[in-house]
Amino acid sequence: MGETIIGIDIGGTTVKIGFLNMQGDIIHKWEIDTNREKQGLYIVDEIWNSVTRKISEFQMTNILGIGVGAPGFVDKTTGLVYEAVNIGWKDFELGKELEQRSGLPVYVENDVNLVALAENWIGAGNNAKDLIAISLGTGVGSGVIANGEILNGMNGTAGEIGHIIADPEGYPCNCGRAGCLDTIASATGIVKQAMDKIAEHPESGLAALYRTTGKIDAKDVFDLAGKGDRISENVIQRTADLLGLLIANAATMINPSKIIIGGGVSKAGEQLLQPVRRAFQKYSLPRISQNCHIEIAKLGNDAGIIGAAYLVTQEALHG
């Protein structure tokens, strides 16, 4: 077997881990639960214990390095995670901690930046020089590639489209401000909007479903909108319109050829894409929208570990 890369994608619920080759093919992948006790104190140990067992099981010898994605604000040069709210890390030296345990070179990046790199490497991006990747999950994450490089900015905060303000009078965001795209276009934001509509329109199909089941999720809103429930349609339309507006504004800065939408909400496919594309056309400069394709991500849950492997290949090739 040739050189192997360990790819790690740390999420709020699970940590995805894989052995990959230099082409981004997954040799073996698995998951462990993210242990958020004591501000994520045990996460690195639990990851490394799991990896050690698998190295032994698969008799891996020629390991090139470790690529790792973490949520939140990450300094790729130092491997420091400034803040990962849904894990509990603050100024956490992830790169150093993993290097100490593994004795291997470790490369750290924001998790959605890794999705952008992976999709551009072997997914929907097709090696675009300028690309925006957006992940609509529990929150809204994003990664921006400009001139072939991930935008990190001065302290790892560049390209955070989820924290562009879409509605200054909107819901409070966990960043401390109000009305960020994160509070609208995430699965959580869609549910918040739906709950407001249920209160306003108790006669709606959405309200009936909520009374029956006692809960509602983003998929329910899309399903009911597909069946003609007007209130659900309104939620999807507003979400898509604001998402299209903010993507159009972001696209003005880097003039991308591709915008890729992933994450759990993207499973709605064309039901989401069509109104987002319409909004993007409406709000964009024509020279930008005419040459930009909006597509659903292709790599799904594997994108994080594939992007992590890409980090290691680039270091190996270019140093």
Side-chain angles (χ1 to χ4, degrees), residues 145-211:
I145 294 173
N147 291 331
E149 300 279 331
I150 275 283
L151 279 187
N152 290 104
M154 187 189 77
N155 61 15
T157 321
E160 287 285 345
I161 292 166
H163 291 291
I164 297 177
I165 292 173
D167 176 7
E169 307 296 312
Y171 304 118
C173 182
N174 64 18
C175 74
R177 300 176 305 154
C180 293
L181 182 64
D182 192 290
T183 68
I184 295 160
S186 63
T188 320
I190 290 168
V191 170
K192 277 183 185 165
Q193 293 181 75
M195 292 306 291
D196 283 354
K197 290 287 185 190
I198 285 167
E200 289 169 28
H201 302 276
E203 80 294 343
S204 64
L206 197 58
L209 179 68
Y210 180 67
R211 281 195 298 272

Side-chain angles (χ1 to χ4, degrees), residues 5-10 15-19 30 32 40-52 55 63-71 74 78-81 89 92-109 114 305 308 311-312:
I5 297 165
I6 298 169
I8 301 170
D9 177 16
I10 302 171
V15 181
K16 297 166 186 70
I17 311 170
F19 296 135
W30 70 100
I32 63 169
L41 181 66
Y42 308 117
I43 291 173
V44 175
D45 275 332
E46 290 182 3
I47 288 171
W48 190 243
N49 290 342
S50 178
V51 170
T52 305
I55 288 172
I63 298 169
L64 197 57
I66 298 172
V68 55
V74 174
T78 62
L80 184 82
V81 179
W89 286 345
F92 185 74
E93 295 188 279
L94 177 59
K96 189 171 153 195
E97 294 285 340
L98 260 177
E99 272 177 2
Q100 281 175 351
R101 286 162 178 75
S102 66
L104 291 163
V106 176
Y107 308 100
V108 182
E109 181 57 275
L114 290 187
I305 60 171
L311 278 189
V312 182

Side-chain angles (χ1 to χ4, degrees), residues 11-13 34-43 85-88:
T13 311
T34 305
N35 184 347
R36 290 182 288 186
E37 283 176 38
K38 296 191 178 173
Q39 280 75 52
L41 181 66
Y42 308 117
I43 291 173
V85 176
N86 59 356
I87 287 175

Side-chain angles (χ1 to χ4, degrees), residues 48-284:
W48 190 243
N49 290 342
S50 178
V51 170
T52 305
R53 284 194 297 273
K54 291 285 185 178
I55 288 172
S56 172
E57 182 187 332
F58 284 82
Q59 299 181 342
M60 291 289 176
T61 50
N62 197 4
I63 298 169
L64 197 57
I66 298 172
V68 55
F73 304 122
V74 174
D75 186 335
K76 66 182 287 187
T77 54
T78 62
L80 184 82
V81 179
Y82 290 108
E83 190 170 22
V85 176
N86 59 356
I87 287 175
W89 286 345
K90 225 176 172 59
D91 295 329
F92 185 74
E93 295 188 279
L94 177 59
K96 189 171 153 195
E97 294 285 340
L98 260 177
E99 272 177 2
Q100 281 175 351
R101 286 162 178 75
S102 66
L104 291 163
V106 176
Y107 308 100
V108 182
E109 181 57 275
N110 166 269
D111 55 351
V112 187
N113 283 357
L114 290 187
V115 171
L117 288 169
E119 288 288 346
N120 207 26
W121 186 25
I122 57 174
N126 203 20
N127 293 302
K129 282 185 91 67
D130 302 283
L131 170 145
I132 296 172
I134 299 175
S135 177
L136 308 176
T138 313
V140 174
S142 55
V144 175
I145 294 173
N147 291 331
E149 300 279 331
I150 275 283
L151 279 187
N152 290 104
M154 187 189 77
N155 61 15
T157 321
E160 287 285 345
I161 292 166
H163 291 291
I164 297 177
I165 292 173
D167 176 7
E169 307 296 312
Y171 304 118
C173 182
N174 64 18
C175 74
R177 300 176 305 154
C180 293
L181 182 64
D182 192 290
T183 68
I184 295 160
S186 63
T188 320
I190 290 168
V191 170
K192 277 183 185 165
Q193 293 181 75
M195 292 306 291
D196 283 354
K197 290 287 185 190
I198 285 167
E200 289 169 28
H201 302 276
E203 80 294 343
S204 64
L206 197 58
L209 179 68
Y210 180 67
R211 281 195 298 272
T212 307
T213 60
K215 60 181 173 39
I216 209 139
D217 61 22
K219 185 177 183 300
D220 293 328
V221 181
F222 278 102
D223 287 347
L224 280 170
K227 291 172 184 167
D229 180 65
R230 189 175 54 81
I231 302 309
S232 299
E233 284 172 357
N234 288 350
V235 171
I236 302 305
Q237 189 51 53
R238 177 173 185 262
T239 302
D241 194 68
L242 288 171
L243 181 55
L245 169 64
L246 266 60
I247 293 172
N249 288 342
T252 306
M253 301 302 290
I254 72 149
N255 191 188
S257 62
K258 283 272 175 81
I259 293 166
I260 294 168
I261 300 177
V265 175
S266 75
K267 288 177 183 160
E270 287 298 317
Q271 197 184 357
L272 174 71
L273 271 194
Q274 283 185 16
V276 169
R277 283 185 182 129
R278 279 196 298 272
F280 182 69
Q281 296 282 344
K282 178 171 72 174
Y283 295 121
S284 279

